[in-house]
Amino acid sequence: MQPHTKNWTQVTEFVMMGFAGNHEVHLLLFTFFLTIYLFTLVENLAIILVVALDHQLRRPMYFFLTHLSCLEIWYTSVTVPKMLAGFIWVDGGKHISYAGCLSQLFIFTFLGATECFLLAAMAYDRYVAICMPLHYGALVSWGTCIRLAAACWLVGFLTPILPSYLMSQLTFCGPNVIDHFFCDAAPLLALSCSDVTWNETVDFLVSLAVLLDSSVVIVVSYGNIFWTLLHIRSAAERQKAFSTCAAHLTVVSLFYGTLFFMYVRTKVTSSINFNKVVSVFYSIVTPMINPLIYSLRNKEVKGTLCRVFSLKSWKGQ
């Protein structure tokens, strides 16, 4: 750590630069991201409502989907409202306290790690359903589902504890402008006047551990699923089995692709604005796309959505 000097002043708040542009551009971005945010809330709440109302969907697969929808709502709510305030300068929208910034980083990392483990649990559920259907009831009981979901949330919560603690021990003595739209680890470390080598190492190892542990479960699960599908003689049965995995596999590909790019990559000079775009994709756009994927690729969810929100339902017919 570098020694303090008399000219250093401890930073008590940060200013999030967000996206460059004039007032008109900011209003356009505000409208765009507000629309995405509201659409995300409505979609995920609809998934939760549909699973709660339809007894046919009260199965392990949809139990995990409900948890994923709840998580997506919180995941976007951690960053988007503050970003929207920054576009229109409501109550000094670009400013965030030191404690608020570290809290946002902790919660965002916690929810991101939890999503990784939830997607892994959903992959395991599909593996048992397709590869060991006769043992499905015993291996994926409601007790097992509850324990798996609880473990996902618990391990996700534990994930950012050490990185956040190390971040809190750093000295920030100015400048205090974060070149991002939320308090992410990399732009925060760039502002510290302390030695951040240990922080960068821990962040990399923790991110790598979360992504590798969860992705190994997903890869092994789908490897066994594809092997089983190859041995199904009936093309119709093979297509039916694969259709139950298509939505989840698409969501996994989108989510993990951007995360591996952002958090587990070599240190190369890259465009800050390009990193912001990638962050927008996995933290804002993906939570909006996921419910669409599940509702469009899953006949049961799509059918229930049509029944629940049809005109006949509202008329009580």
Side-chain angles (χ1 to χ4, degrees):
M1 181 180 293
Q2 301 177 11
H4 291 274
T5 67
K6 294 182 180 179
N7 294 328
W8 285 7
T9 302
Q10 181 67 31
V11 169
T12 58
E13 72 171 12
F14 295 98
V15 179
M16 290 186 286
M17 185 180 297
F19 295 92
N22 55 30
H23 182 65
E24 288 74 19
V25 171
H26 282 176
L27 284 179
L28 182 62
L29 290 174
F30 173 82
T31 304
F32 175 69
F33 286 118
L34 177 62
T35 302
I36 290 180
Y37 179 57
L38 294 177
F39 198 48
T40 301
L41 294 181
V42 171
E43 286 178 313
N44 284 286
L45 286 172
I47 293 291
I48 296 170
L49 178 64
V50 162
V51 174
L53 292 178
D54 193 335
H55 294 279
Q56 296 180 354
L57 298 184
R58 293 183 185 177
R59 303 201 303 271
M61 176 182 175
Y62 301 105
F63 171 80
F64 290 119
L65 181 57
T66 300
H67 278 264
L68 185 63
S69 292
C70 290
L71 186 147
E72 300 282 28
I73 291 173
W74 298 336
Y75 193 56
T76 54
S77 297
V78 171
T79 58
V80 176
K82 185 65 180 176
M83 179 183 67
L84 293 175
F87 285 132
I88 55 176
W89 291 89
V90 174
D91 298 325
K94 290 183 177 290
H95 295 259
I96 186 170
S97 67
Y98 173 82
C101 190
L102 292 187
S103 298
Q104 187 185 59
L105 173 62
F106 181 93
I107 297 172
F108 186 81
T109 307
F110 153 49
L111 295 174
T114 302
E115 180 158 358
C116 289
F117 294 121
L118 274 175
L119 290 173
M122 295 173 76
Y124 170 75
D125 170 70
R126 292 298 83 205
Y127 156 68
V128 177
I130 293 174
C131 300
M132 295 182 286
L134 298 179
H135 302 284
Y136 184 78
L139 293 176
V140 191
S141 63
W142 280 111
T144 301
C145 291
I146 293 172
R147 287 190 293 270
L148 278 174
C152 291
W153 288 99
L154 177 61
V155 177
F157 178 79
L158 295 176
T159 296
I161 288 181
L162 179 58
S164 296
Y165 171 75
L166 293 176
M167 183 74 75
S168 69
Q169 301 305 301
L170 297 178
T171 300
F172 296 91
C173 42
N176 67 336
V177 178
I178 301 174
D179 194 4
H180 214 305
F181 62 89
F182 70 96
C183 292
D184 202 5
L188 269 178
L189 292 176
L191 295 179
S192 176
C193 44
S194 304
D195 182 2
V196 298
T197 304
W198 180 235
N199 297 73
E200 290 177 337
T201 302
V202 170
D203 284 353
F204 175 82
L205 291 177
V206 169
S207 300
L208 186 64
V210 170
L211 290 174
L212 284 184
D213 288 348
S214 55
S215 61
V216 164
V217 174
I218 293 172
V219 170
V220 171
S221 296
Y222 275 104
N224 283 280
I225 288 172
F226 291 142
W227 179 256
T228 301
L229 293 179
L230 289 176
H231 290 79
I232 297 177
R233 295 183 179 181
S234 171
E237 291 182 6
R238 187 164 53 245
Q239 177 63 29
K240 181 180 178 180
F242 181 76
S243 66
T244 65
C245 306
H248 179 258
L249 193 57
T250 304
V251 169
V252 166
S253 300
L254 291 173
F255 187 69
Y256 276 82
T258 51
L259 282 186
F260 268 109
F261 176 83
M262 284 298 298
Y263 292 110
V264 185
R265 66 186 193 274
T266 56
K267 290 184 177 180
V268 294
T269 303
S270 58
S271 168
I272 293 176
N273 288 328
F274 183 68
N275 288 342
K276 289 180 186 178
V277 171
V278 176
S279 297
V280 165
F281 189 80
Y282 76 79
S283 64
I284 301 175
V285 176
T286 300
M288 178 194 68
I289 295 175
N290 288 350
L292 287 176
I293 294 173
Y294 276 110
S295 60
L296 293 177
R297 296 302 300 269
N298 188 300
K299 293 181 179 180
E300 291 180 312
V301 174
K302 186 164 58 175
T304 305
L305 279 170
C306 292
R307 290 196 302 271
V308 171
F309 295 103
S310 66
L311 184 60
K312 290 184 179 181
S313 296
W314 289 116
K315 288 182 177 180
Q317 296 181 4

